Amino acid sequence: MAGETILIVDDDADIREIITLYLEKEGYNVVSATDGNEAILNALTTNPDLIILDIMIPGLDGIEVCQEIRKKSTTPIIFLSCKGEPIDKSIGLTAGGDDYMSKPFDTIELLARVKAQLRRNRILKSSANSTQLLKYPGLTIDLTNYSVTANEKLITLSRKELQLLVLLAQNQGKVFSSEELFKELWGTDSYGDYRTVMVHISHIRKKIEKDPTNPKFIHTIKGAGYKFFISK
């Protein structure tokens, strides 16, 4: 949607310039940063709708920047990096990134991924506006401020952990395969390591369950996937 603001973080002036050119042509506002500290400052002061984040930047690297931003913001983050090995992509997504592209990259594909992430984020905000509170015995999810209270304790979830929990909770009783959850939250064009879903489920359980080895809320359905229901 034209008018949305995108933060580009890259120390390569040529890359910033070409991405800016394509984004502004689509009607987006663009701000930029060239190192990790400037990236965090701009992310928190300009409140962008999406961040394109290089990993190998001066100062704090992109992974550290993502982790810092995730403490205060759920803004979608697309990693853009020379590191293209599967383990690099897995680290980026687990750190809180929403998508990952390797350099050299196709600008048209990057633009498509930007639009997909912004669209997914608008749907999440729309859902928050229509259903304000998800409340279950021992678990409350407040979508107005993205807070989660489990077992009478306020807990912090990453953006993807929150999206995953909300998706499962809003479809109580429905079984989702790891592939379905990955495609729903990371997009069909994203890097398809479905183990990322398993890692996020594990993180959520550690935060909301009294006994993560015997979960009350998110259950593993052997050979099928995951299902949200309240066990007694």
Side-chain angles (χ1 to χ4, degrees):
M1 183 181 296
E4 291 171 306
T5 299
I6 297 175
L7 170 61
I8 302 172
V9 183
D10 203 305
D11 60 338
D12 188 319
D14 292 335
I15 289 179
R16 292 199 309 274
E17 182 177 356
I18 192 167
I19 296 175
T20 298
L21 183 67
Y22 274 82
L23 291 175
E24 289 184 341
K25 188 176 180 181
E26 292 290 327
Y28 297 111
N29 301 316
V30 176
V31 292
S32 63
T34 59
D35 61 47
N37 292 326
E38 187 182 17
I40 294 172
L41 178 64
N42 285 356
L44 299 180
T45 56
T46 65
N47 193 26
D49 296 286
L50 182 141
I51 301 170
I52 298 172
L53 178 59
D54 185 18
I55 289 182
M56 300 176 70
I57 51 177
L60 297 177
D61 66 30
I63 298 296
E64 294 172 313
V65 170
C66 178
Q67 291 170 332
E68 285 300 313
I69 292 173
R70 281 288 171 261
K71 293 177 181 177
K72 298 183 178 179
S73 171
T74 60
T75 300
I77 295 176
I78 299 177
F79 279 115
L80 196 59
S81 176
C82 295
K83 293 184 174 181
E85 297 297 321
I87 184 62
D88 299 317
K89 297 178 180 179
S90 180
I91 290 172
L93 295 177
T94 303
D98 297 276
D99 200 355
Y100 195 111
M101 285 189 71
S102 302
K103 295 178 180 176
F105 61 95
D106 182 277
T107 311
I108 301 299
E109 181 182 354
L110 175 60
L111 185 59
R113 294 191 183 208
V114 166
K115 291 180 178 178
Q117 288 297 332
L118 289 172
R119 182 170 59 250
R120 196 167 290 115
N121 200 45
R122 286 195 292 270
I123 291 172
L124 178 64
K125 289 181 178 178
S126 175
S127 175
N129 291 334
S130 59
T131 308
Q132 303 292 318
L133 201 65
L134 301 175
K135 197 166 186 177
Y136 311 93
L139 178 68
T140 300
I141 307 169
D142 188 341
L143 296 175
T144 60
N145 57 15
Y146 301 104
S147 67
V148 175
T149 302
N151 302 310
E152 301 182 352
K153 292 182 180 179
L154 185 63
I155 62 171
T156 301
L157 296 177
S158 72
R159 169 188 163 80
K160 273 290 178 281
E161 290 167 355
L162 178 64
Q163 287 181 326
L164 185 51
L165 177 59
V166 170
L167 176 62
L168 290 168
Q170 287 181 325
N171 293 276
Q172 187 173 181
K174 179 180 178 179
V175 177
F176 289 91
S177 68
S178 294
E179 181 178 0
E180 288 174 326
L181 292 171
F182 189 89
K183 289 182 176 179
E184 183 70 29
L185 295 182
W186 280 269
T188 54
D189 295 329
S190 297
Y191 169 67
D193 188 343
Y194 305 139
R195 290 172 297 183
T196 300
V197 173
M198 180 179 67
V199 171
H200 280 72
I201 292 286
S202 176
H203 288 170
I204 295 171
R205 282 174 172 160
K206 289 177 181 176
K207 294 178 180 179
I208 70 172
E209 301 281 0
K210 287 184 177 178
D211 180 5
T213 63
N214 185 28
K216 176 182 177 182
F217 304 110
I218 300 177
H219 301 265
T220 300
I221 309 301
K222 190 175 182 179
Y226 301 96
K227 178 169 70 172
F228 183 97
F229 68 92
I230 310 299
S231 60
K232 297 181 180 178

